[in-house]
Amino acid sequence: MADPGDEIQALLNFLLPFAERMLKQGGEFYPYAAVVAEDGEVAAVAAKIGSEHGESNGAAEQPDVGEVLVALHAELGGRAAEGSIRASGIAADVMLTDPDSGETTDAVQVQLDHADADAVDIYVPYESAEDGIKFGELVAAQGREPVFGQAA
């Protein structure tokens, strides 16, 4: 079996480049997710949002970010509970506030969890520049919403 740290790194390497691409193209992005399946393959995961029957009113509706996050957590939690994944990651565009100065900054948050390791939240501050996106130093914190914790 692969090392949990290696699988978490593989998820991070899968998720961050897409965030960078979306930030360059549109300045923001909707939350998205990926998993490490039981066979070790890293794959993107879609959130199931809206009507269960796939109906649409024809309008170009934009889902609520909170709704997307809830749907992604539900999908990943279900997969973790059935044992079809070994690790998961959810990337979101967030605002961080420095507790000391009160200053805010944009950041990419990646919630990473593994069946055999503790959940970790990674924050990568960024700013838009003329020549692209400039990322700051990665900061790690204890995971607040573990996917595998839901399965226990």
Side-chain angles (χ1 to χ4, degrees), residues 40-97:
E41 292 297 313
V42 177
V45 173
K48 296 179 178 111
I49 299 173
S51 169
E52 293 179 22
H53 304 291
E55 297 168 2
S56 173
N57 63 10
E61 294 181 24
Q62 296 293 330
D64 176 72
V65 170
E67 188 179 347
V68 174
L69 284 168
V70 167
L72 287 171
H73 275 279
E75 177 66 25
L76 296 176
R79 291 184 186 200
E82 69 187 21
S84 66
I85 62 172
R86 296 195 310 233
S88 68
I90 299 174
D93 192 5
V94 301
M95 290 291 293
L96 292 180
T97 303

Short mmCIF file of all heavy atoms in Angstrom, two decimals, residues 40-97:
data_model
loop_
_atom_site.label_atom_id
_atom_site.label_comp_id
_atom_site.label_asym_id
_atom_site.label_seq_id
_atom_site.Cartn_x
_atom_site.Cartn_y
_atom_site.Cartn_z
N GLY A 40 -5.31 3.41 -6.28
CA GLY A 40 -4.21 4.37 -6.26
C GLY A 40 -4.31 5.48 -7.29
O GLY A 40 -3.48 6.37 -7.30
N GLU A 41 -5.33 5.44 -8.14
CA GLU A 41 -5.49 6.46 -9.17
C GLU A 41 -6.09 7.73 -8.59
O GLU A 41 -7.01 7.68 -7.78
CB GLU A 41 -6.39 5.95 -10.30
CG GLU A 41 -5.77 4.84 -11.13
CD GLU A 41 -4.52 5.28 -11.86
OE1 GLU A 41 -4.53 6.36 -12.50
OE2 GLU A 41 -3.52 4.55 -11.79
N VAL A 42 -5.58 8.89 -9.02
CA VAL A 42 -6.13 10.17 -8.63
C VAL A 42 -7.14 10.59 -9.69
O VAL A 42 -6.85 10.52 -10.89
CB VAL A 42 -5.02 11.24 -8.51
CG1 VAL A 42 -5.62 12.60 -8.18
CG2 VAL A 42 -4.00 10.83 -7.45
N ALA A 43 -8.34 10.99 -9.24
CA ALA A 43 -9.39 11.36 -10.18
C ALA A 43 -10.22 12.51 -9.63
O ALA A 43 -10.42 12.63 -8.42
CB ALA A 43 -10.30 10.17 -10.45
N ALA A 44 -10.71 13.36 -10.53
CA ALA A 44 -11.60 14.46 -10.14
C ALA A 44 -12.96 13.90 -9.75
O ALA A 44 -13.37 12.84 -10.21
CB ALA A 44 -11.75 15.43 -11.31
N VAL A 45 -13.66 14.64 -8.89
CA VAL A 45 -14.99 14.27 -8.42
C VAL A 45 -15.93 15.44 -8.63
O VAL A 45 -15.59 16.58 -8.29
CB VAL A 45 -14.95 13.90 -6.91
CG1 VAL A 45 -16.35 13.67 -6.37
CG2 VAL A 45 -14.09 12.67 -6.69
N ALA A 46 -17.10 15.17 -9.15
CA ALA A 46 -18.10 16.21 -9.35
C ALA A 46 -19.11 16.21 -8.22
O ALA A 46 -19.42 15.16 -7.65
CB ALA A 46 -18.83 15.98 -10.68
N ALA A 47 -19.61 17.39 -7.91
CA ALA A 47 -20.65 17.53 -6.89
C ALA A 47 -22.01 17.38 -7.56
O ALA A 47 -22.24 17.90 -8.65
CB ALA A 47 -20.56 18.89 -6.21
N LYS A 48 -22.91 16.65 -6.90
CA LYS A 48 -24.28 16.51 -7.39
C LYS A 48 -25.12 17.59 -6.74
O LYS A 48 -25.41 17.54 -5.55
CB LYS A 48 -24.80 15.12 -7.06
CG LYS A 48 -24.03 14.02 -7.75
CD LYS A 48 -24.54 12.65 -7.38
CE LYS A 48 -23.76 11.60 -8.15
NZ LYS A 48 -22.91 10.80 -7.31
N ILE A 49 -25.50 18.58 -7.57
CA ILE A 49 -26.24 19.74 -7.06
C ILE A 49 -27.52 19.90 -7.86
O ILE A 49 -27.55 19.66 -9.06
CB ILE A 49 -25.39 21.02 -7.19
CG1 ILE A 49 -24.12 20.86 -6.37
CG2 ILE A 49 -26.17 22.24 -6.75
CD1 ILE A 49 -23.16 21.98 -6.54
N GLY A 50 -28.55 20.36 -7.18
CA GLY A 50 -29.80 20.67 -7.86
C GLY A 50 -30.74 19.50 -7.90
O GLY A 50 -30.69 18.60 -7.06
N SER A 51 -31.58 19.49 -8.91
CA SER A 51 -32.62 18.48 -9.04
C SER A 51 -32.04 17.09 -9.17
O SER A 51 -31.07 16.86 -9.88
CB SER A 51 -33.47 18.79 -10.28
OG SER A 51 -34.32 17.71 -10.56
N GLU A 52 -32.67 16.14 -8.50
CA GLU A 52 -32.22 14.74 -8.59
C GLU A 52 -32.48 14.17 -9.98
O GLU A 52 -31.93 13.15 -10.35
CB GLU A 52 -32.95 13.89 -7.55
CG GLU A 52 -32.58 14.23 -6.14
CD GLU A 52 -33.33 13.39 -5.12
OE1 GLU A 52 -33.81 12.29 -5.49
OE2 GLU A 52 -33.44 13.82 -3.97
N HIS A 53 -33.34 14.81 -10.73
CA HIS A 53 -33.71 14.28 -12.04
C HIS A 53 -33.02 15.01 -13.18
O HIS A 53 -33.33 14.78 -14.34
CB HIS A 53 -35.23 14.37 -12.22
CG HIS A 53 -35.98 13.67 -11.13
ND1 HIS A 53 -35.97 12.31 -10.98
CD2 HIS A 53 -36.72 14.16 -10.11
CE1 HIS A 53 -36.69 11.98 -9.92
NE2 HIS A 53 -37.16 13.08 -9.38
N GLY A 54 -32.09 15.90 -12.82
CA GLY A 54 -31.32 16.61 -13.85
C GLY A 54 -32.14 17.64 -14.59
O GLY A 54 -31.78 18.07 -15.66
N GLU A 55 -33.27 18.06 -14.03
CA GLU A 55 -34.11 19.04 -14.69
C GLU A 55 -33.48 20.42 -14.57
O GLU A 55 -32.80 20.73 -13.62
CB GLU A 55 -35.50 19.04 -14.04
CG GLU A 55 -36.22 17.73 -14.20
CD GLU A 55 -37.46 17.63 -13.32
OE1 GLU A 55 -37.78 18.61 -12.62
OE2 GLU A 55 -38.10 16.58 -13.34
N SER A 56 -33.75 21.23 -15.56
CA SER A 56 -33.23 22.59 -15.55
C SER A 56 -34.34 23.52 -16.01
O SER A 56 -35.16 23.16 -16.83
CB SER A 56 -32.03 22.69 -16.50
OG SER A 56 -31.64 24.03 -16.62
N ASN A 57 -34.35 24.72 -15.47
CA ASN A 57 -35.35 25.69 -15.90
C ASN A 57 -34.86 26.50 -17.09
O ASN A 57 -35.50 27.44 -17.51
CB ASN A 57 -35.75 26.60 -14.74
CG ASN A 57 -34.59 27.44 -14.24
OD1 ASN A 57 -33.52 27.49 -14.85
ND2 ASN A 57 -34.79 28.11 -13.11
N GLY A 58 -33.72 26.13 -17.63
CA GLY A 58 -33.18 26.79 -18.81
C GLY A 58 -32.33 28.01 -18.48
O GLY A 58 -31.63 28.51 -19.33
N ALA A 59 -32.41 28.51 -17.26
CA ALA A 59 -31.62 29.67 -16.89
C ALA A 59 -30.18 29.24 -16.59
O ALA A 59 -29.93 28.13 -16.14
CB ALA A 59 -32.21 30.35 -15.65
N ALA A 60 -29.26 30.15 -16.83
CA ALA A 60 -27.86 29.86 -16.53
C ALA A 60 -27.64 30.13 -15.04
O ALA A 60 -27.17 31.19 -14.65
CB ALA A 60 -26.95 30.73 -17.40
N GLU A 61 -28.02 29.18 -14.21
CA GLU A 61 -27.91 29.36 -12.76
C GLU A 61 -26.50 29.05 -12.28
O GLU A 61 -25.87 28.11 -12.74
CB GLU A 61 -28.89 28.43 -12.05
CG GLU A 61 -30.33 28.77 -12.30
CD GLU A 61 -31.26 27.84 -11.56
OE1 GLU A 61 -30.85 27.25 -10.54
OE2 GLU A 61 -32.40 27.71 -12.01
N GLN A 62 -26.05 29.87 -11.33
CA GLN A 62 -24.78 29.63 -10.68
C GLN A 62 -25.07 29.06 -9.30
O GLN A 62 -25.78 29.68 -8.52
CB GLN A 62 -23.99 30.94 -10.55
CG GLN A 62 -23.61 31.56 -11.88
CD GLN A 62 -22.61 30.71 -12.65
OE1 GLN A 62 -21.80 30.01 -12.08
NE2 GLN A 62 -22.67 30.78 -13.95
N PRO A 63 -24.55 27.89 -8.99
CA PRO A 63 -24.81 27.32 -7.67
C PRO A 63 -24.15 28.13 -6.57
O PRO A 63 -23.15 28.81 -6.79
CB PRO A 63 -24.22 25.92 -7.76
CG PRO A 63 -23.20 26.00 -8.84
CD PRO A 63 -23.68 27.05 -9.80
N ASP A 64 -24.72 28.05 -5.38
CA ASP A 64 -24.16 28.69 -4.21
C ASP A 64 -22.89 27.94 -3.81
O ASP A 64 -22.86 26.71 -3.79
CB ASP A 64 -25.20 28.65 -3.08
CG ASP A 64 -24.66 29.23 -1.80
OD1 ASP A 64 -24.49 30.45 -1.73
OD2 ASP A 64 -24.40 28.44 -0.87
N VAL A 65 -21.83 28.67 -3.46
CA VAL A 65 -20.56 28.06 -3.08
C VAL A 65 -20.74 27.12 -1.89
O VAL A 65 -20.19 26.02 -1.85
CB VAL A 65 -19.49 29.14 -2.78
CG1 VAL A 65 -18.25 28.53 -2.16
CG2 VAL A 65 -19.13 29.88 -4.06
N GLY A 66 -21.53 27.55 -0.91
CA GLY A 66 -21.80 26.70 0.25
C GLY A 66 -22.48 25.40 -0.14
O GLY A 66 -22.15 24.33 0.39
N GLU A 67 -23.41 25.49 -1.09
CA GLU A 67 -24.11 24.30 -1.57
C GLU A 67 -23.13 23.34 -2.26
O GLU A 67 -23.22 22.12 -2.09
CB GLU A 67 -25.22 24.73 -2.54
CG GLU A 67 -26.14 23.62 -2.98
CD GLU A 67 -27.23 24.10 -3.92
OE1 GLU A 67 -27.44 25.33 -4.07
OE2 GLU A 67 -27.89 23.24 -4.53
N VAL A 68 -22.20 23.89 -3.03
CA VAL A 68 -21.19 23.06 -3.71
C VAL A 68 -20.32 22.35 -2.67
O VAL A 68 -20.07 21.14 -2.78
CB VAL A 68 -20.31 23.91 -4.66
CG1 VAL A 68 -19.18 23.08 -5.24
CG2 VAL A 68 -21.15 24.51 -5.78
N LEU A 69 -19.89 23.08 -1.64
CA LEU A 69 -19.06 22.47 -0.60
C LEU A 69 -19.80 21.36 0.14
O LEU A 69 -19.24 20.29 0.39
CB LEU A 69 -18.57 23.53 0.39
CG LEU A 69 -17.45 24.42 -0.11
CD1 LEU A 69 -17.24 25.60 0.82
CD2 LEU A 69 -16.16 23.64 -0.29
N VAL A 70 -21.05 21.60 0.48
CA VAL A 70 -21.85 20.58 1.17
C VAL A 70 -21.99 19.34 0.29
O VAL A 70 -21.83 18.21 0.75
CB VAL A 70 -23.23 21.14 1.58
CG1 VAL A 70 -24.18 20.04 2.00
CG2 VAL A 70 -23.08 22.17 2.69
N ALA A 71 -22.26 19.55 -0.99
CA ALA A 71 -22.42 18.43 -1.92
C ALA A 71 -21.11 17.64 -2.08
O ALA A 71 -21.13 16.41 -2.13
CB ALA A 71 -22.91 18.93 -3.28
N LEU A 72 -19.99 18.35 -2.16
CA LEU A 72 -18.70 17.67 -2.28
C LEU A 72 -18.39 16.85 -1.03
O LEU A 72 -17.96 15.70 -1.11
CB LEU A 72 -17.57 18.67 -2.55
CG LEU A 72 -17.53 19.28 -3.95
CD1 LEU A 72 -16.52 20.42 -4.01
CD2 LEU A 72 -17.22 18.23 -5.00
N HIS A 73 -18.63 17.44 0.15
CA HIS A 73 -18.40 16.71 1.40
C HIS A 73 -19.30 15.47 1.48
O HIS A 73 -18.85 14.40 1.90
CB HIS A 73 -18.62 17.61 2.61
CG HIS A 73 -17.42 18.40 2.99
ND1 HIS A 73 -16.38 17.89 3.71
CD2 HIS A 73 -17.07 19.68 2.70
CE1 HIS A 73 -15.45 18.81 3.87
NE2 HIS A 73 -15.84 19.90 3.26
N ALA A 74 -20.55 15.60 1.05
CA ALA A 74 -21.47 14.46 1.08
C ALA A 74 -20.99 13.35 0.14
O ALA A 74 -20.99 12.17 0.50
CB ALA A 74 -22.88 14.91 0.71
N GLU A 75 -20.58 13.73 -1.05
CA GLU A 75 -20.10 12.74 -2.03
C GLU A 75 -18.85 12.03 -1.52
O GLU A 75 -18.75 10.81 -1.57
CB GLU A 75 -19.80 13.44 -3.37
CG GLU A 75 -19.24 12.53 -4.44
CD GLU A 75 -20.21 11.46 -4.92
OE1 GLU A 75 -21.43 11.65 -4.82
OE2 GLU A 75 -19.72 10.42 -5.40
N LEU A 76 -17.89 12.80 -1.02
CA LEU A 76 -16.65 12.20 -0.54
C LEU A 76 -16.89 11.37 0.72
O LEU A 76 -16.30 10.30 0.89
CB LEU A 76 -15.60 13.28 -0.28
CG LEU A 76 -15.15 14.06 -1.52
CD1 LEU A 76 -14.19 15.17 -1.12
CD2 LEU A 76 -14.54 13.16 -2.56
N GLY A 77 -17.75 11.85 1.62
CA GLY A 77 -18.07 11.09 2.83
C GLY A 77 -18.71 9.75 2.50
O GLY A 77 -18.40 8.74 3.12
N GLY A 78 -19.58 9.75 1.50
CA GLY A 78 -20.20 8.49 1.06
C GLY A 78 -19.19 7.52 0.50
O GLY A 78 -19.22 6.32 0.81
N ARG A 79 -18.28 8.05 -0.31
CA ARG A 79 -17.24 7.18 -0.88
C ARG A 79 -16.30 6.65 0.20
O ARG A 79 -15.87 5.50 0.14
CB ARG A 79 -16.45 7.93 -1.95
CG ARG A 79 -17.26 8.21 -3.20
CD ARG A 79 -16.41 8.87 -4.25
NE ARG A 79 -17.22 9.27 -5.40
CZ ARG A 79 -16.71 9.51 -6.59
NH1 ARG A 79 -15.41 9.39 -6.81
NH2 ARG A 79 -17.49 9.87 -7.57
N ALA A 80 -15.98 7.50 1.18
CA ALA A 80 -15.13 7.05 2.29
C ALA A 80 -15.83 5.96 3.09
O ALA A 80 -15.21 4.95 3.46
CB ALA A 80 -14.77 8.23 3.19
N ALA A 81 -17.13 6.14 3.35
CA ALA A 81 -17.90 5.17 4.14
C ALA A 81 -17.97 3.81 3.44
O ALA A 81 -17.92 2.77 4.10
CB ALA A 81 -19.30 5.70 4.41
N GLU A 82 -18.07 3.82 2.12
CA GLU A 82 -18.15 2.54 1.39
C GLU A 82 -16.78 1.94 1.12
O GLU A 82 -16.68 0.82 0.61
CB GLU A 82 -18.95 2.71 0.10
CG GLU A 82 -18.26 3.55 -0.96
CD GLU A 82 -19.12 3.86 -2.17
OE1 GLU A 82 -20.36 3.78 -2.07
OE2 GLU A 82 -18.54 4.18 -3.22
N GLY A 83 -15.71 2.69 1.42
CA GLY A 83 -14.36 2.17 1.26
C GLY A 83 -13.82 2.20 -0.16
O GLY A 83 -12.85 1.52 -0.47
N SER A 84 -14.41 3.03 -1.02
CA SER A 84 -13.96 3.07 -2.41
C SER A 84 -12.82 4.06 -2.65
O SER A 84 -12.27 4.12 -3.75
CB SER A 84 -15.13 3.37 -3.35
OG SER A 84 -15.62 4.68 -3.11
N ILE A 85 -12.48 4.87 -1.62
CA ILE A 85 -11.37 5.81 -1.76
C ILE A 85 -10.44 5.69 -0.56
O ILE A 85 -10.86 5.25 0.51
CB ILE A 85 -11.86 7.27 -1.89
CG1 ILE A 85 -12.64 7.73 -0.65
CG2 ILE A 85 -12.67 7.45 -3.16
CD1 ILE A 85 -12.98 9.21 -0.63
N ARG A 86 -9.18 6.08 -0.78
CA ARG A 86 -8.19 6.09 0.31
C ARG A 86 -7.90 7.50 0.79
O ARG A 86 -7.42 7.69 1.91
CB ARG A 86 -6.90 5.43 -0.15
CG ARG A 86 -7.07 3.96 -0.48
CD ARG A 86 -5.77 3.22 -0.57
NE ARG A 86 -4.75 3.80 -1.40
CZ ARG A 86 -4.12 3.15 -2.38
NH1 ARG A 86 -4.42 1.89 -2.65
NH2 ARG A 86 -3.17 3.73 -3.07
N ALA A 87 -8.13 8.49 -0.07
CA ALA A 87 -7.84 9.87 0.29
C ALA A 87 -8.74 10.80 -0.52
O ALA A 87 -9.23 10.43 -1.58
CB ALA A 87 -6.38 10.19 0.02
N SER A 88 -8.93 12.03 0.02
CA SER A 88 -9.77 13.00 -0.67
C SER A 88 -9.20 14.40 -0.48
O SER A 88 -8.46 14.66 0.48
CB SER A 88 -11.20 12.96 -0.14
OG SER A 88 -11.25 13.44 1.20
N GLY A 89 -9.56 15.28 -1.41
CA GLY A 89 -9.16 16.67 -1.31
C GLY A 89 -10.22 17.57 -1.91
O GLY A 89 -10.81 17.23 -2.93
N ILE A 90 -10.49 18.69 -1.23
CA ILE A 90 -11.43 19.69 -1.74
C ILE A 90 -10.70 21.02 -1.79
O ILE A 90 -10.12 21.46 -0.78
CB ILE A 90 -12.67 19.82 -0.83
CG1 ILE A 90 -13.44 18.50 -0.76
CG2 ILE A 90 -13.57 20.96 -1.33
CD1 ILE A 90 -14.59 18.53 0.23
N ALA A 91 -10.72 21.66 -2.95
CA ALA A 91 -10.08 22.97 -3.11
C ALA A 91 -11.15 24.05 -3.18
O ALA A 91 -12.19 23.86 -3.82
CB ALA A 91 -9.23 22.99 -4.37
N ALA A 92 -10.90 25.18 -2.51
CA ALA A 92 -11.83 26.30 -2.51
C ALA A 92 -11.07 27.62 -2.53
O ALA A 92 -9.95 27.70 -2.03
CB ALA A 92 -12.75 26.23 -1.29
N ASP A 93 -11.70 28.64 -3.08
CA ASP A 93 -11.16 29.99 -3.12
C ASP A 93 -11.69 30.70 -1.88
O ASP A 93 -12.90 30.87 -1.73
CB ASP A 93 -11.65 30.67 -4.40
CG ASP A 93 -10.95 31.97 -4.71
OD1 ASP A 93 -9.99 32.33 -3.99
OD2 ASP A 93 -11.36 32.64 -5.68
N VAL A 94 -10.82 31.08 -0.95
CA VAL A 94 -11.25 31.64 0.33
C VAL A 94 -10.54 32.96 0.62
O VAL A 94 -9.57 33.32 -0.04
CB VAL A 94 -10.99 30.65 1.50
CG1 VAL A 94 -11.73 29.34 1.28
CG2 VAL A 94 -9.50 30.40 1.70
N MET A 95 -11.02 33.65 1.65
CA MET A 95 -10.37 34.83 2.19
C MET A 95 -9.82 34.47 3.56
O MET A 95 -10.53 33.88 4.37
CB MET A 95 -11.35 35.99 2.35
CG MET A 95 -11.84 36.58 1.05
SD MET A 95 -10.57 37.48 0.14
CE MET A 95 -10.26 38.86 1.21
N LEU A 96 -8.55 34.79 3.80
CA LEU A 96 -7.94 34.57 5.11
C LEU A 96 -7.80 35.90 5.82
O LEU A 96 -7.47 36.91 5.19
CB LEU A 96 -6.54 33.96 4.95
CG LEU A 96 -6.43 32.54 4.42
CD1 LEU A 96 -4.96 32.13 4.35
CD2 LEU A 96 -7.20 31.58 5.30
N THR A 97 -8.02 35.88 7.12
CA THR A 97 -7.84 37.07 7.93
C THR A 97 -6.73 36.81 8.94
O THR A 97 -6.79 35.83 9.68
CB THR A 97 -9.13 37.44 8.68
OG1 THR A 97 -10.18 37.63 7.73
CG2 THR A 97 -8.95 38.71 9.49
#
